[in-house]
Coordinates of all heavy atoms in Angstrom, one line a residue:
K1 N 0.8 -1.2 0.0 CA 0.0 0.0 0.0 C 0.9 1.3 0.0 O 2.0 1.3 0.5 CB -0.9 0.0 1.2 CG -2.1 -0.9 1.1 CD -3.0 -0.8 2.4 CE -3.6 0.6 2.6 NZ -4.5 0.7 3.7
K2 N 0.3 2.3 -0.5 CA 0.9 3.6 -0.6 C 0.4 4.5 0.6 O -0.8 4.5 0.8 CB 0.6 4.3 -1.9 CG 1.6 5.4 -2.3 CD 1.3 5.8 -3.7 CE 2.4 6.7 -4.2 NZ 2.2 7.1 -5.6
Y3 N 1.3 5.1 1.4 CA 0.9 5.8 2.5 C 1.3 7.3 2.4 O 2.3 7.6 1.6 CB 1.6 5.3 3.8 CG 1.1 3.9 4.2 CD1 1.7 2.7 3.6 CD2 0.1 3.7 5.1 CE1 1.2 1.5 3.9 CE2 -0.4 2.5 5.4 CZ 0.2 1.3 4.8 OH -0.3 0.1 5.2
P4 N 0.7 8.2 3.1 CA 0.9 9.6 2.9 C 1.9 10.2 4.0 O 2.1 9.5 5.0 CB -0.5 10.2 3.1 CG -1.1 9.3 4.1 CD -0.6 8.0 3.9
M5 N 2.3 11.4 3.8 CA 2.8 12.2 4.9 C 1.6 12.8 5.5 O 0.5 12.9 4.9 CB 3.8 13.3 4.4 CG 3.2 14.3 3.5 SD 4.4 15.4 2.7 CE 4.7 14.6 1.2
I6 N 1.7 13.3 6.8 CA 0.5 14.0 7.4 C 1.0 15.3 7.9 O 1.9 15.4 8.7 CB 0.0 13.1 8.6 CG1 -0.6 11.8 8.1 CG2 -1.1 13.9 9.3 CD1 -1.1 10.9 9.1
I7 N 0.5 16.4 7.3 CA 0.9 17.8 7.7 C -0.4 18.6 7.8 O -1.3 18.6 7.0 CB 1.8 18.4 6.6 CG1 3.1 17.6 6.4 CG2 2.1 19.8 6.8 CD1 4.0 18.0 5.3
N8 N -0.4 19.3 8.9 CA -1.5 20.3 9.2 C -2.9 19.6 9.2 O -3.9 20.1 8.7 CB -1.5 21.5 8.2 CG -2.3 22.6 8.8 OD1 -2.4 22.8 10.0 ND2 -2.8 23.4 7.9
G9 N -2.9 18.4 9.7 CA -4.2 17.6 9.8 C -4.6 17.0 8.5 O -5.8 16.6 8.4
K10 N -3.8 17.0 7.5 CA -4.2 16.4 6.2 C -3.2 15.3 5.7 O -2.0 15.4 5.9 CB -4.2 17.5 5.1 CG -5.2 18.6 5.4 CD -5.0 19.8 4.4 CE -6.0 20.9 4.7 NZ -5.8 22.1 3.7
K11 N -3.7 14.3 5.1 CA -2.9 13.3 4.5 C -2.5 13.7 3.1 O -3.4 14.1 2.3 CB -3.7 12.0 4.4 CG -4.0 11.3 5.7 CD -4.8 10.0 5.6 CE -5.0 9.3 6.9 NZ -5.7 8.0 6.7
I12 N -1.3 13.7 2.8 CA -0.7 14.2 1.5 C 0.1 13.1 0.9 O 1.1 12.7 1.4 CB 0.1 15.4 1.7 CG1 -0.6 16.6 2.5 CG2 0.7 16.0 0.4 CD1 0.2 17.7 2.9
F13 N -0.4 12.6 -0.3 CA 0.2 11.6 -1.0 C 1.2 12.2 -2.0 O 1.1 13.4 -2.4 CB -0.8 10.7 -1.7 CG -1.6 9.8 -0.8 CD1 -2.7 10.3 -0.2 CD2 -1.1 8.5 -0.5 CE1 -3.5 9.5 0.6 CE2 -1.9 7.7 0.3 CZ -3.1 8.2 0.9
S14 N 2.2 11.4 -2.4 CA 3.3 11.9 -3.3 C 3.6 10.9 -4.3 O 3.4 9.6 -4.1 CB 4.5 12.2 -2.5 OG 5.6 12.5 -3.3
D15 N 4.0 11.3 -5.5 CA 4.4 10.4 -6.6 C 5.8 10.0 -6.4 O 6.3 9.0 -6.9 CB 4.3 11.1 -7.9 CG 2.8 11.4 -8.3 OD1 2.0 10.6 -7.9 OD2 2.5 12.4 -9.0
D16 N 6.6 10.8 -5.6 CA 8.0 10.4 -5.3 C 8.1 9.7 -4.0 O 8.0 10.3 -2.9 CB 8.8 11.7 -5.2 CG 10.3 11.4 -5.0 OD1 10.7 10.2 -5.1 OD2 11.0 12.4 -4.6
C17 N 8.2 8.3 -4.1 CA 8.1 7.5 -2.9 C 9.3 6.5 -2.9 O 9.9 6.2 -3.9 CB 6.8 6.6 -2.9 SG 5.3 7.6 -2.6
F18 N 9.6 6.1 -1.7 CA 10.6 5.0 -1.5 C 9.8 3.7 -1.0 O 8.8 3.8 -0.4 CB 11.7 5.3 -0.5 CG 11.2 5.6 0.9 CD1 11.2 4.6 1.9 CD2 10.8 6.9 1.3 CE1 10.8 4.9 3.2 CE2 10.4 7.2 2.6 CZ 10.4 6.2 3.5
K19 N 10.3 2.6 -1.4 CA 9.7 1.3 -1.0 C 10.3 0.8 0.3 O 11.5 0.9 0.6 CB 9.9 0.3 -2.1 CG 9.2 0.5 -3.4 CD 9.4 -0.6 -4.4 CE 8.5 -0.5 -5.6 NZ 8.6 0.7 -6.3
V20 N 9.4 0.3 1.2 CA 9.8 -0.3 2.5 C 9.8 -1.8 2.2 O 8.7 -2.4 2.0 CB 8.9 0.1 3.6 CG1 9.3 -0.6 4.9 CG2 8.8 1.6 3.8
R21 N 10.9 -2.4 2.3 CA 11.0 -3.9 2.1 C 11.3 -4.6 3.4 O 12.0 -4.0 4.3 CB 12.1 -4.2 1.1 CG 11.8 -3.6 -0.3 CD 12.9 -3.9 -1.3 NE 12.7 -3.3 -2.6 CZ 12.0 -3.9 -3.6 NH1 11.5 -5.1 -3.4 NH2 11.8 -3.3 -4.7
S22 N 10.9 -5.8 3.5 CA 11.2 -6.6 4.7 C 12.7 -7.0 4.7 O 13.2 -7.6 3.7 CB 10.4 -7.9 4.8 OG 10.8 -8.7 5.9
P23 N 13.4 -6.8 5.8 CA 14.8 -7.3 5.9 C 14.9 -8.8 5.9 O 16.0 -9.4 5.6 CB 15.4 -6.7 7.2 CG 14.1 -6.5 8.0 CD 13.0 -6.1 7.1
A24 N 13.8 -9.5 6.2 CA 13.8 -10.9 6.2 C 13.6 -11.5 4.8 O 13.9 -12.7 4.5 CB 12.8 -11.5 7.2
D25 N 13.0 -10.7 3.9 CA 12.7 -11.1 2.6 C 12.5 -9.9 1.7 O 11.4 -9.3 1.7 CB 11.4 -12.0 2.5 CG 11.1 -12.6 1.1 OD1 11.8 -12.1 0.2 OD2 10.3 -13.4 1.0

């Protein structure tokens, strides 16, 4: 899933993202 930053009470999505991978796989 894609998650946002949260600033000033708002969820803000971005096209510039990094992937979070499991260190176990």
Side-chain angles (χ1 to χ4, degrees):
K1 282 181 64 176
K2 203 169 186 178
Y3 292 85
M5 64 188 97
I6 297 176
I7 297 176
N8 199 28
K10 298 175 183 177
K11 292 182 177 181
I12 303 169
F13 289 86
S14 171
D15 293 329
D16 181 13
C17 290
F18 62 93
K19 290 180 169 62
V20 179
R21 298 178 183 272
S22 174
D25 184 348

